[in-house]
Amino acid sequence: MGERFQVLLVGKPRSGWAQEAVDDYTKRIRRLGGVGERVVRTERFRGDVDAVRGAEGERLRQAARGSLVCLDERGQDLTTESFAALVDTLRQRGPVSFAIGGAYGHCPDTRKAAAETVRLSSLVLNHELARVVLYEQLYRALSLLEGRPYHH
């Protein structure tokens, strides 16, 4: 993958409206470093939430390239400007992977492996909506860093 940014997902997205939004932002981000997406397999629930989180977390960590940013409700709240600064710092080190967890969220090992853990909202977002918010915020951050007017 030649993209500077990668979004990691647990399970294939299913929502058409979300895919349309992601496709639009992917085109916009192409000029600003590019973004790719990789889906890792969900773990079948067999009565143990921690086992599911652990297996999915291992897949996410193996799929990550460069700096890992874990998107999690336990993460830090960032302003647009501070998210842009984080993106700028990490992209200077190399590729950046943003991980959206599965239905049960991220395991502690994935959060520990991450360069940063960020919360997209204080509200609970389903995974499809979190994905759209991430792409929009990544485009907004890159626009801000490049001096483009979108971020206003």
Side-chain angles (χ1 to χ4, degrees):
M1 283 170 79
E3 295 91 2
R4 173 148 307 161
F5 302 100
Q6 173 180 239
V7 175
L8 302 172
L9 307 169
V10 175
K12 290 185 180 180
R14 292 177 169 47
S15 177
W17 65 266
Q19 189 61 52
E20 284 183 39
V22 166
D23 289 346
D24 180 54
Y25 286 113
T26 298
K27 287 178 195 168
R28 296 179 193 203
I29 294 169
R30 189 173 297 136
R31 295 183 298 267
L32 303 169
V35 61
E37 194 168 84
R38 183 159 176 200
V39 174
V40 302
R41 183 175 56 83
T42 58
E43 182 70 12
R44 186 171 174 200
F45 181 73
R46 294 183 173 95
D48 186 347
V49 170
D50 290 335
V52 171
R53 283 187 191 127
E56 292 173 349
E58 179 63 27
R59 291 180 194 121
L60 288 169
R61 293 189 304 277
Q62 287 179 0
R65 294 181 302 113
S67 298
L68 177 62
V69 178
C70 188
L71 301 170
D72 189 272
E73 64 188 8
R74 295 166 202 83
Q76 62 179 320
D77 286 313
L78 299 177
T79 64
T80 296
E81 291 78 11
S82 57
F83 182 70
L86 172 64
V87 167
D88 192 35
T89 298
L90 294 178
R91 75 177 177 171
Q92 290 179 37
R93 296 179 192 163
V96 182
S97 295
F98 296 93
I100 298 174
Y104 300 107
H106 290 292
C107 68
D109 288 343
T110 302
R111 289 192 303 274
K112 285 179 197 167
E116 295 289 337
T117 300
V118 173
R119 176 165 58 180
L120 291 175
S121 173
S122 295
L123 301 171
V124 175
L125 304 176
N126 73 39
H127 293 87
E128 295 282 351
L129 188 53
R131 181 173 166 241
V132 172
V133 170
L134 171 60
Y135 275 83
E136 193 278 337
Q137 287 300 302
L138 181 58
Y139 178 66
R140 185 175 296 275
L142 293 170
S143 294
L144 176 64
L145 293 169
E146 299 293 325
R148 294 175 184 240
Y150 177 80
H151 73 276
H152 292 291

